[in-house]
Amino acid sequence: MAKSHVTMTINGAEVEALVEPRTLLIHFLREEVNLTGAHIGCDTSHCGACTVDLDGKSVKSCTVFAVQADGAKILTVEGVANADGTLSAVQEGFRMMHGLQCGYCTPGMILRATRLLQENPNPSEEEIRFGIAGNLCRCTGYMNIVKAIQYAAAKINGQPFQEAAQ
Amino acid sequence: MIPGAFEYHRPQSVTEAVALLAKLGPEARALAGGHSLIPLMKTRLAAPDHLIDLARIAALKGIRREGETIVIGAMTTEHEIVASKLLGETLPILIETALLIADPQVRYMGTIGGNAANGDPGNDMPAVLQCLNATYRLTGPKGERSVAARAYYKGAYDTARAPDEILTAIAVPLPPSRAGWAYEKLKRKTGDFATAAAAVLLTMSGGRCASASVALTNVADRPLFAEAAGKALVGTTLDKPALDGAAKAASAIADPASDLHGPAEYRKAMAGVMARRAIERAKARAKG
């Protein structure tokens, strides 16, 4: 089968490659571009560990062919930090609120939360939970992930973060 | 999991896509959002030799009003449906339904055309589109034709679409602005297919039901237009006996399999329960 030529902008850098059409985006990112931040969890479009941002959409990169992303702008967790190397608001939220335990779901959670806050900078707890429904975490029970995203929202909006009373 | 090898094609127009389908034959498949087909390919339940990616065909995108009809391009994503102001004003039931499909990531990629065309009995849009009496516009080598959603589904993944045809758009007649509507979906968890689900559209006039249509998701090998359930409501005040009758009629035509969603008897009963709840909510929304 003929390989396809693809060009993508990944974390701000242009990447060109020849790919087999059947190459999934997650395999392309991890094995061809050596960006191993996005994880393969379930490999069946359920868990969201492979979530990356593709042209402003959160996508499960295990269910997208690399050829479909030809010409796209892609953001992975390796490109989320601020330009000066400091943590983004979402990353800082996960750190400060203890939003991870084993860390396996975290890159996908951070990418999804980053997109969610761009679309809705001031989400309610319910909107956060609905917005991360495609990302599974088997450690935290989600409490601290929700707090991490609330922390990030407060930071983005220049407000002090206050934990809701339990 | 790595799918079988295939050749990738990216047509720029419907004409080009249809010509490719005709030329490459039955081993070619159209690729929409990919969130049904790619998982099937990863498990090798599907192994097409050619994929024809419809994503770059601009004519398949967008939602517009044509007189008394809303026309939705087949490649419009569920996410775009949720965000559509026009649908919010005219067909909010499509937004309610889209929000019950899978999860945010899947909704960014999954399309209404793929959801409708595929013939997966678990998909949510087909029953809703049957309820709304939508029409599917298909284009093939011989030109364009229309098929009613109520006549499109023959069985699981078996539809009126010929292998060399592409679903290009879905045309939905504008419901009366006073109509009530609801889609009720019972599911085990977020993102799941329905254990049973029901779509309802009805109008009231002088306290009595003037028209009603009911359709069911995932309780047979195809979506079911529950004609008798709708008829059981017309002329009534939507009181308890009318709702009992409609729920019974909906349950009666359900023919689900026993599977991980539950035993057949349970799912059959739930078809009636979902119909009842959808009617109740539609009634509360209807004016007149």
Side-chain angles (χ1 to χ4, degrees), chain A residues 43 51 60 62 67 119 135, chain B residues 1 3 10 42 103 105 108:
Chain A
D43 207 1
T51 299
K60 295 181 177 178
C62 78
V67 284
E119 291 183 358
N135 294 74
Chain B
M1 292 179 286
R10 189 186 292 151
K42 288 167 74 174
D103 59 47
Q105 285 94 320
Y108 280 111

Side-chain angles (χ1 to χ4, degrees), chain B residues 1-170:
Chain B
M1 292 179 286
I2 297 168
F6 60 88
E7 275 188 49
Y8 176 77
H9 307 267
R10 189 186 292 151
Q12 302 294 320
S13 69
V14 173
T15 312
E16 199 189 327
V18 168
L20 275 167
L21 271 179
K23 183 181 123 196
L24 299 170
E27 292 310 313
R29 290 283 300 270
L31 176 68
H35 278 54
S36 298
L37 183 55
I38 296 173
L40 287 178
M41 290 173 67
K42 288 167 74 174
T43 49
R44 308 271 176 140
L45 292 169
D49 291 337
H50 299 270
L51 276 192
I52 299 167
D53 187 353
L54 306 179
R56 312 287 166 113
I57 304 177
L60 296 178
K61 285 288 222 181
I63 305 166
R64 61 187 185 277
R65 184 170 176 164
E66 287 179 5
E68 293 304 296
T69 306
I70 301 294
V71 178
I72 306 170
M75 287 296 285
T76 304
T77 65
E78 311 293 1
H79 180 81
E80 288 162 344
I81 284 171
V82 170
S84 166
K85 199 167 168 277
L86 178 60
L87 291 183
E89 290 163 359
T90 56
L91 290 164
I93 189 173
L94 292 181
I95 296 176
E96 178 165 292
T97 305
L99 285 168
L100 291 168
I101 295 174
D103 59 47
Q105 285 94 320
V106 176
R107 291 194 290 270
Y108 280 111
M109 291 299 287
T111 64
I112 189 168
N115 196 286
N118 198 16
D120 183 335
N123 286 353
D124 292 289
M125 284 296 179
V128 178
L129 293 167
Q130 287 189 333
C131 175
L132 295 169
N133 201 15
T135 302
Y136 297 169
R137 295 182 181 171
L138 304 170
T139 301
K142 290 179 212 145
E144 194 176 308
R145 68 184 178 115
S146 289
V147 179
R150 293 176 188 172
Y152 180 81
Y153 300 96
K154 310 290 181 194
Y157 302 101
D158 181 10
T159 69
R161 186 182 61 84
D164 58 1
E165 285 181 313
I166 289 173
L167 173 66
T168 58
I170 295 168

